[in-house]
Amino acid sequence: MSDELQLPTPVRVFVSFVALLRINGFAVAPEQTTAFLAAIELLGPRSLETIRQAGLATLAPPPERRATYDRLFELHFLGSEAIDQAGAEDEEVVRLQEEGRGEDETLLADEANESGLVAARAEALVERRFAPGATGDALRRLAREAPARLPRRRGHRRMRARRGPWADLRRTLRESVRSDGEVLRLGRLKRRTRPRKVLLLIDVSGSMKGRTDDNMKLAHAVVHAAPNVEVFTFGTRLTRVSRALRLKRREQALSAAAHLVSDWDGGTRIGDALQAFLAVPRFGGYARSAAVVILSDGLERGDPSALRDAVARLSRRAWRLSWLTPLASGPGFQPQTEALIAIRRFVDDLASGETTAAIVSHVLSLGQRKAA
Amino acid sequence: MTVRGNIVGIDSPEALERALRTAYYLADEGLATAAYLGLALGKPLLLEGAPGVGKTEAAKAIAAVLGRRLIRLQCYEGIDASAALYEWNYPRQMLAIRQAGEESIDIYGETFLIERPMLAALRAPDSTVLLIDEIDRADQEFEAFLLEFLSDFQISIPERGTVRAAERPVVVLTSNRTRDLHEALRRRCVYHWIDYPTAEREARIVMMRASSVAESTARAVVAAVGKLRREPLSKAPGIAEAVDWAEAATLLHARGARWPDAFKRSIGVALKDEEDLTFISGRLDALIAEAAA
């Protein structure tokens, strides 16, 4: 294959199948394509089923997207009979991918349902101004205590320590020179720790109106208290506001964020927003082994099963997933809404997000908690 | 990429499937294809699936078929390079320094090196199968570290230089999917998602694995287990549980228990969670009767 433009026809069919998968949001690396072709050559032209199996093994579609893979396979190799069966779900995924590519900071959640099943979820695109308020005690406490109390992860490097699992041979030998080669004290090493990533997902829909101002101020404080924080807002859309919040002065940062977000106080489609978040690899990576905190009341207008799937995927990626709702007040809180009940078993903490103080306490307590 | 179409006489997925059957492992077509491709293309085989579908067993069976020793690296939270690769035997080094006195000695010699699973597999690639079990339990950092190993099959020991495998070792990774693995890791592997087997296949597995279970018992157990898996239980019974249940019920029956009762009394080997047992207890009778019918 010296000249890429003149691939032999049989090969082109397989390469174009890979291209089709990529368009539909499957992450396939070039080496996987090579392995796919090698596998087909190895197994010989026996049946379509063999090719399908070879694709499954080498292109590695995630199990929850197996159905989509099968449909695309039929579409590509069996022709157009299968088109009718390709459901609405695929189209949404494609749409999200296309939209995610064009825009850098904002990602449109899907609007496919808008005219159809749930017509009431009209988007309300509004700009917001933040009232300059006094800094709360809670935020001061956050800034003061965050460096010591936010969660940390074990790093790969080692540092000297009073006690630890490894002997520090270098230090021990160097010190033994002073005492004529006699080892008097065995130096030890332990793993260095690093700050863990924190991901904040803030619900800015109408039902959270009372909390939105404070939550954004809180997000600003968290961004400045820890080195590795990402913040997204969602309502009917998903918006990354981390960069805006990195501005040091709070008023400036909040007004910059206010311009980015266009769905203040509108409807809520949490499931779609989280799906959109996970569908973009660059965004989804922020959740990997991070402490994920979602500030939302869980009043979902969309499909609860979409929400459940998204939260399940998120919880598999996250180190710990906390859902803080203003509806929860007190430790004996039992979720009432359908959405909250559905996601309950995937969430590590379901706690109160009623006041800034409560949220700050929870965030600061994350460091003491273990991964679930 | 070096392709070897024929490995110890196995030249197709079907041949591998037959060979696995002699090692008491029933592989479906997908698994046989993926495992064959992994061997032939020299890529690691990544097996994912719910707990108890036979991921680790598959690795053992592959090792048995190839006639190689299985080296198992069990992952856990906090596992690091020294547990996976190699470690220096510090006490011995210290002693050697003391004994040498004025002479100079090499304290980074072979005798001071403690081999851990990955180094052991790398040094004897033609006689071992490396199983990296439950990779989803390890930290992200360990996963990133594995990437280097799995693409180049080499380990650098700063004091001694780089150890490179003479040929590509056979590596099997398993994951219970308690968290998503990194794309880069999946990309380097041949991938297979092991699903729960069909009732027909599972009944054959139960009869193959259990010592003296009648076919009707096997079918009844498999039907009941299939029903249990559809319930929202916190820990659904795997294939191993099905085998145990069939054996336990057969044993109780041989000791004089009546049939549906034998199933019911031995439920403890299939469901091992108090909440699950309470949840199902009301409907257990109906469920077993239905399955046995």
Side-chain angles (χ1 to χ4, degrees), chain B residues 181-254:
Chain B
L181 297 180
H182 205 282
E183 286 300 332
L185 183 69
R186 296 159 56 94
R187 199 168 80 200
R188 280 173 175 72
C189 301
V190 172
Y191 178 84
H192 183 68
W193 169 263
I194 303 192
D195 225 329
Y196 286 118
T198 57
E200 176 65 25
R201 182 183 293 279
E202 189 166 10
R204 273 164 56 207
I205 294 173
V206 168
M207 277 155 56
M208 189 186 242
R209 287 269 161 164
S211 47
S212 58
V213 172
E215 189 175 345
S216 57
T217 315
R219 286 190 192 287
V221 162
V222 165
V225 164
K227 284 196 167 52
L228 285 176
R229 280 181 198 144
R230 278 193 288 278
E231 302 284 341
L233 300 174
S234 68
K235 169 77 182 71
I239 298 175
E241 275 81 15
V243 174
D244 288 349
W245 198 9
E247 280 217 89
T250 308
L251 185 70
L252 287 184
H253 179 64

Side-chain angles (χ1 to χ4, degrees), chain A residues 182-198:
Chain A
E182 198 69 34
V183 175
L184 299 177
R185 212 169 56 83
L186 192 60
R188 310 295 301 185
L189 292 171
K190 70 172 184 187
R191 291 266 277 276
R192 190 190 290 270
T193 61
R194 306 214 161 270
R196 202 172 266 285
K197 287 186 281 187
V198 177

Side-chain angles (χ1 to χ4, degrees), chain B residues 93-163:
Chain B
Q93 282 177 325
M94 292 284 185
L95 271 177
I97 293 170
R98 297 283 294 278
Q99 280 175 346
E102 298 294 305
E103 297 163 41
S104 79
I105 57 149
D106 176 19
I107 57 164
Y108 293 113
E110 184 66 35
T111 44
F112 303 106
L113 192 64
I114 305 173
E115 257 183 14
R116 299 284 187 222
M118 280 161 73
L119 183 61
L122 210 57
R123 284 178 153 190
D126 50 349
S127 63
T128 56
V129 171
L130 175 63
L131 165 64
I132 302 177
D133 216 3
E134 303 191 354
I135 171 78
D136 52 333
R137 287 199 191 186
D139 306 324
Q140 307 276 349
E141 290 75 35
F142 185 73
E143 210 176 305
F145 161 80
L146 262 186
L147 286 180
E148 196 192 332
F149 175 80
L150 292 178
S151 50
D152 300 337
F153 290 111
Q154 64 177 36
I155 292 171
S156 62
I157 303 175
E159 295 86 357
R160 285 173 62 91
T162 306
V163 183

Side-chain angles (χ1 to χ4, degrees), chain A residues 157-230:
Chain A
R157 300 200 173 203
R158 296 174 182 184
M159 60 187 281
R160 54 164 69 188
R162 194 181 287 267
R163 59 185 63 171
W166 301 285
D168 188 349
L169 193 65
R170 194 206 291 191
R171 182 154 57 109
T172 308
L173 283 179
R174 202 172 53 228
E175 279 177 7
S176 75
V177 172
R178 240 179 279 159
S179 50
D180 245 352
E182 198 69 34
V183 175
L184 299 177
R185 212 169 56 83
L186 192 60
R188 310 295 301 185
L189 292 171
K190 70 172 184 187
R191 291 266 277 276
R192 190 190 290 270
T193 61
R194 306 214 161 270
R196 202 172 266 285
K197 287 186 281 187
V198 177
L199 172 67
L200 273 178
L201 296 166
I202 303 177
D203 188 345
V204 293
S205 62
S207 57
M208 288 288 286
K209 202 170 179 176
R211 282 292 315 158
T212 304
D213 267 17
D214 285 343
N215 281 348
M216 292 304 288
K217 284 179 194 161
L218 176 84
H220 179 256
V222 176
V223 166
H224 287 273
N228 247 330
V229 184
E230 286 294 333

